[in-house]
Amino acid sequence: MEEIDWTQCPDVESVPGRCSGAWVAKDSRILIEGIIDNYDAGMSPEEIGDEVFPGLGADRASRIIAFARSHIRQPAPHL
């Protein structure tokens, strides 16, 4: 997964002592990396939020995925 600055995403948090401080969906132990990996593998936000991680919800999964897609660092153009 690309390196993303998650600090501005209101749906996630990093809490020392919870999942070793990894980024998780707010108020859960659902790793953001798992959400993005499942999406990259072809799953829909509905499948991820309602089936893979019950309680996450499709809307929150969609917001997290949209944030990730809009914040991936693009490589500098070659001159």
Side-chain angles (χ1 to χ4, degrees), residues 4-79:
I4 297 172
D5 178 4
W6 290 100
T7 58
Q8 299 302 310
C9 182
D11 289 298
V12 305
E13 63 187 353
S14 174
V15 179
R18 185 186 316 156
C19 298
S20 299
W23 287 99
V24 297
K26 197 167 204 137
D27 299 323
S28 78
R29 298 177 74 80
I30 300 170
L31 295 171
I32 298 308
E33 186 172 353
I35 296 168
I36 302 304
D37 287 349
N38 278 290
Y39 181 75
D40 288 346
M43 297 189 85
S44 71
E46 292 76 18
E47 291 171 313
I48 296 166
D50 297 332
E51 297 171 23
V52 177
F53 300 113
L56 176 65
D59 288 340
R60 188 159 50 155
S62 291
R63 290 192 305 267
I64 291 169
I65 292 163
F67 184 91
R69 293 188 66 184
S70 68
H71 287 81
I72 293 175
R73 293 187 183 145
Q74 301 297 323
H78 294 281
L79 301 175

